[in-house]
Amino acid sequence: MGKVALFHLLCGILFFWSVSVVKAEDDYKYYTWTATYGTASPLGVPQQVILMNGQFPGPRLDLVTNDNVILNLINRLDEPLLLTWNGIKQRKNSWQDGVLGTNCPIPPNSNYTYKFQTKDQIGSYTYFPSTQLHRAVGGFGALNVYARSVIPVPYAKPAGDFSLLIGDWYKSSHKVLRQILDSGRSLPYPNGLLINGQKQSTFSGDQGKTYMFRISNVGLKNSINFRIQGHKMRVVEVEGSHVLQNIYDSLDVHVGQSMSVLVTLDQPPKDYYIVASTRFSRIAFTATSVLHYTNSRAPVSGPVPSAPAGQMHWSMLQARSFRWNLTSNAARPNPQGSFHYGKIIISRTFVMANSAPIINGKLRYAVNSVSYVNPDTPLKLADHFNIPGVFSLNSIQTFPSGGSPYLATAVFPVSHHDFIEIVFQNNEATMQSWHLDGYDFWVVGFGAGTWTQASRNKYNLVDALTRHTTQVYPKSWTAILVSLDNQGMWNLRSAMWDRQYLGQQVYLRVYNPTQSLANEYDIPTNALLCGKAAGRHP
């Protein structure tokens, strides 16, 4: 009897331990955020900004792989609002993506509860308002997903962890900026550059210790270059991918992108400049912060470190140097390189050429001659309820034809589990940046001029990193490969928000004729319904 009792006791302990581990590693995190207007002076002039829980930028959202997030967002603005979770894949759950193609916006003085999981993800991300031009005046914040304790990462735990939200900034309100775009004009140059909503801030650390800096470009238009006076940066993660840990003096971070670097405080004890400056623009802006050694004996001094002399070619070479760490664990306990993307046959190819046409006498931005317009009914709801007349699956061509530009609700029909190639063809003389919701993609190639099938000979089919946002250099192309393993309606857009606002976006309808909870979750019971979906039952 004693042995039996001991056996049952051990079984109970093991059961309790296993349940505790599951709960600890697959936790539920509950938040209530309120969006309001407030006044701040980021560039020295008081202006209206969007606050989240009274904060500008918004609260830092620290999560762990596979956490379940229950976030009640209360909208106290005078306009409808949505938040999107930039880089979170929303596995089987485009219902929570927070863009106008998937969600009805939250009306003023109302609320919506987001319910999503950071399924099999790790890395540095952001959130921001996707409606109108709200992103131009705040509402954004850092979203960091840390590894579960049972999954090792390929670097020692840093002594500290800093999030740096860097971006260009306007003194004008989002409503004034919106009026400029609605009138058919392009936005003027921004008025400055901010780091964490300020012209200057301080980050403190102990001499000899190593710290992680999570850098995200949350601006509207400009690429930025980031550097720390007298210190080297070791890149360890880019938008969820562990990368080969190369050392850099400075880093180009394009609109919508994020990356994590490790910095060892190995210099004499004083203060050093942290510098961000705009790149590839006629008017240059710089923002500085301070890296403060806790045993510092002197304030910052000397000239602010200058940006790299190299321009587009230099930046493209640096982009090619970011490579996947094939031996590192990912969010799950398997090597990142275990999925041999370079050996999969491509199902379909899409060549997407951006342009800036004049339509009906006004400036628009377009893809393959189509400038996107938002219908009053989210595409996802129209698809779910079989509502006709909201979008068409032949509204845009898969290759540029050079035809006359026009307005349409552009949707690409694709099949669940297709493996597709997307080429972003930039015929303009400006830098572009493209983002895909719901997925990571392999950035396999950059090149000057016009893409051709022969350009595939230059693809990296071995250790290209995965990310959610890629730059496209002027008069150049960028190629990505995507495994369409996430059913739903997904936004493929310019990360430059003025271009997105004026039509440079499409949606991918990733479709499977067999409806199954194994492929996609049901519509949420709390889904907001608007447009032609109003009055229906989830």
Side-chain angles (χ1 to χ4, degrees), residues 252-299:
D252 281 352
V253 186
H254 306 278
V255 179
Q257 293 184 343
S258 298
M259 63 176 60
S260 300
V261 303
L262 293 178
V263 178
T264 300
L265 276 56
D266 55 3
Q267 298 300 304
K270 62 183 293 290
D271 292 355
Y272 296 87
Y273 284 113
I274 295 173
V275 187
S277 58
T278 54
R279 289 277 272 162
F280 320 124
S281 59
R282 183 171 57 85
I283 300 177
F285 295 106
T286 299
T288 60
S289 292
V290 174
L291 174 59
H292 171 71
Y293 280 43
T294 53
N295 61 341
S296 172
R297 300 189 182 122

Side-chain angles (χ1 to χ4, degrees), residues 426-443:
N426 180 13
N427 296 323
E428 298 180 65
T430 58
M431 178 71 74
Q432 305 294 320
S433 186
W434 281 90
H435 169 87
L436 175 59
D437 282 348
Y439 290 94
D440 287 338
F441 48 71
W442 288 271
V443 185

Side-chain angles (χ1 to χ4, degrees), residues 89-112:
K89 294 180 187 176
Q90 306 290 1
R91 295 292 303 170
K92 304 188 295 184
N93 201 17
S94 63
W95 304 106
Q96 305 293 340
D97 198 29
V99 291
L100 290 174
T102 58
N103 296 87
C104 297
I106 306 166
N109 297 312
S110 186
N111 73 294
Y112 175 73

